[in-house]
Amino acid sequence: MSTPRHFLTLMDLSAGELRALIHRAIALKAQRKAGDDQHSLAGKILAMIFTKASTRTRVSFEAGITQLGGNALFLSGADTQLGRGEPIEDSARVISSMVDLVMIRTFAHRDVERFAEQSAVPVINGLTDDYHPCQLLADMQTFFEVRGDISGHKVCWLGDGNNVCHSYMNAARLLDFELVVACPEGYDPSPALLEACGNHVTIERDPAVAVKQAHLLVTDVWASMGQEAEQSERIGPLAPYQLNQALLDIAAPDALYMHCLPAHRDEEITAELMDAPDTVIWQEAENRLHAQKALMELLLSA
Ligand code: CP
Ligand code: NVA
């Protein structure tokens, strides 16, 4: 049996593969809008394991594999034996003997790695405490659709140096763009990852400096899943990093802005920007569907 191809971080793709995936996602989107049949994954079964909540990830994976002719199984951590302590490795051997592909959303990134190490089929990271690579497929697709290749552009991340920020850092080095992370002290992304990203990623404490000439501003919630108890103490330090019209006015004249959603309106992003008629945030959310269809095709073609 050949070793399965996993997608645990963006670095599991080469730059060429990531660009090809984005272009395939754009083509799949056009096909779907035209009403063409898509059956490239006919008969394939995707198991989706969730120990954290989700709207976009669940709906996009389930709709995506169904549109491609396959089926999805939703497995909530609490309702499987995983939730009662069956070892991850044992669960991986059993589940992967019955399905063609597994998507996992959970807390510890190491848990997804442990599952993948014993899995006979490709494993996709649907978000861990450390990374959210599927989100970046959609975000990059959106930038490519609206502005073309992101190489050489400047992106500014505003707020918490969290899992989505980490995946932006990987995207910066893969797709060769500049990423400035604007965050307060104590909210920095991983120092080891920062070092690995070399001169593609820098940290800037002053948000007004960070967004200057940026072509894309990005933010995310100030308390991620699992950090709910810290919500109120995080507001003070992170408030100056709110994505709002004032910061957008300092960025490049045609700057886009994104948010992975769900958003806390008027916390990390203003309701005004969420509801702006020209925002690409809803396009970004829809692109989860198309980008992950391209991802599942890639992993199952290996
Ligand atoms: N952006 C994202 O992953 O959304 P969900 O938590 O709704 O899946
Ligand atoms: N950083 C957020 C992203 C949600 C899609 C979280 O982990 O909760």
Side-chain angles (χ1 to χ4, degrees):
M1 190 184 64
S2 60
T3 312
R5 177 98 201 250
H6 302 304
F7 182 65
L8 307 189
T9 77
L10 272 186
M11 303 315 287
D12 288 327
L13 300 179
S14 68
E17 285 174 327
L18 178 51
R19 285 197 167 83
L21 188 156
I22 290 167
H23 291 300
R24 175 65 182 154
I26 292 169
L28 283 167
K29 183 175 181 175
Q31 272 181 11
R32 177 164 166 74
K33 305 268 177 204
D36 296 346
D37 275 352
Q38 303 179 313
H39 287 296
S40 56
L41 299 186
K44 300 293 184 190
I45 299 177
L46 166 72
M48 308 187 299
I49 302 171
F50 284 92
T51 66
K52 283 176 173 169
S54 170
T55 295
R56 280 143 287 270
T57 303
R58 178 177 176 181
V59 174
S60 55
F61 269 109
E62 185 158 349
I65 189 111
T66 308
Q67 288 165 14
L68 294 178
N71 285 287
L73 301 176
F74 173 76
L75 304 171
S76 98
D79 297 330
T80 62
Q81 299 290 5
L82 268 168
R84 293 181 59 249
E86 183 170 10
I88 290 171
E89 289 79 5
D90 295 357
S91 305
R93 289 170 69 169
V94 173
I95 294 169
S96 73
S97 72
M98 300 179 185
V99 302
D100 301 286
L101 195 57
V102 177
M103 191 285 308
I104 306 176
R105 165 169 289 198
T106 194
F107 294 84
H109 188 72
R110 181 69 197 131
D111 286 354
V112 177
E113 292 176 337
R114 286 170 58 198
F115 194 106
E117 282 161 13
Q118 295 302 323
S119 177
V121 301
V123 174
I124 296 171
N125 174 4
L127 182 146
T128 62
D129 289 346
D130 294 345
Y131 294 101
H132 195 3
C134 290
Q135 186 64 49
L136 263 290
L137 302 182
D139 286 24
M140 292 301 100
Q141 179 188 340
T142 307
F143 193 94
F144 276 58
E145 283 174 338
V146 181
R147 295 277 183 263
D149 200 304
I150 198 166
S151 170
H153 287 78
K154 178 179 173 183
V155 178
C156 178
W157 175 271
L158 289 157
D160 187 21
N162 65 11
N163 45 6
V164 180
C165 176
H166 286 161
S167 289
Y168 259 93
M169 292 166 73
N170 280 336
R173 54 184 170 147
L174 263 183
L175 295 179
D176 194 24
F177 61 82
E178 176 191 358
L179 176 67
V180 179
V181 177
C183 63
E185 273 180 44
Y187 294 84
D188 287 359
S190 150
L193 183 59
L194 187 63
E195 197 182 326
C197 292
N199 57 13
H200 282 105
V201 184
T202 54
I203 292 185
E204 168 58 54
R205 301 285 174 220
D206 184 344
V209 172
V211 300
K212 266 191 197 146
Q213 298 306 318
H215 304 98
L216 170 63
L217 308 187
V218 199
T219 194
D220 186 13
V221 290
W222 290 338
S224 286
M225 288 181 275
Q227 299 175 325
E228 289 81 359
E230 300 166 28
Q231 171 79 28
S232 56
E233 74 196 52
R234 290 173 154 257
I235 289 175
L238 286 161
Y241 300 86
Q242 183 191 63
L243 177 44
N244 55 33
Q245 189 61 50
L247 280 184
L248 199 54
D249 287 343
I250 311 172
D254 62 348
L256 299 175
Y257 59 91
M258 297 189 193
H259 190 308
C260 62
L261 306 179
H264 287 199
R265 287 166 171 250
D266 293 324
E267 284 190 17
E268 76 277 0
I269 185 168
T270 58
E272 180 193 12
L273 289 193
M274 293 283 298
D275 293 330
D278 59 349
T279 184
V280 298
I281 281 177
W282 312 110
Q283 180 176 341
E284 175 192 6
E286 180 192 322
N287 283 341
R288 293 290 304 277
L289 171 73
H290 311 295
Q292 290 158 195
K293 285 164 77 173
L295 174 68
M296 291 189 284
E297 282 188 346
L298 174 72
L299 297 179
L300 286 173
S301 71

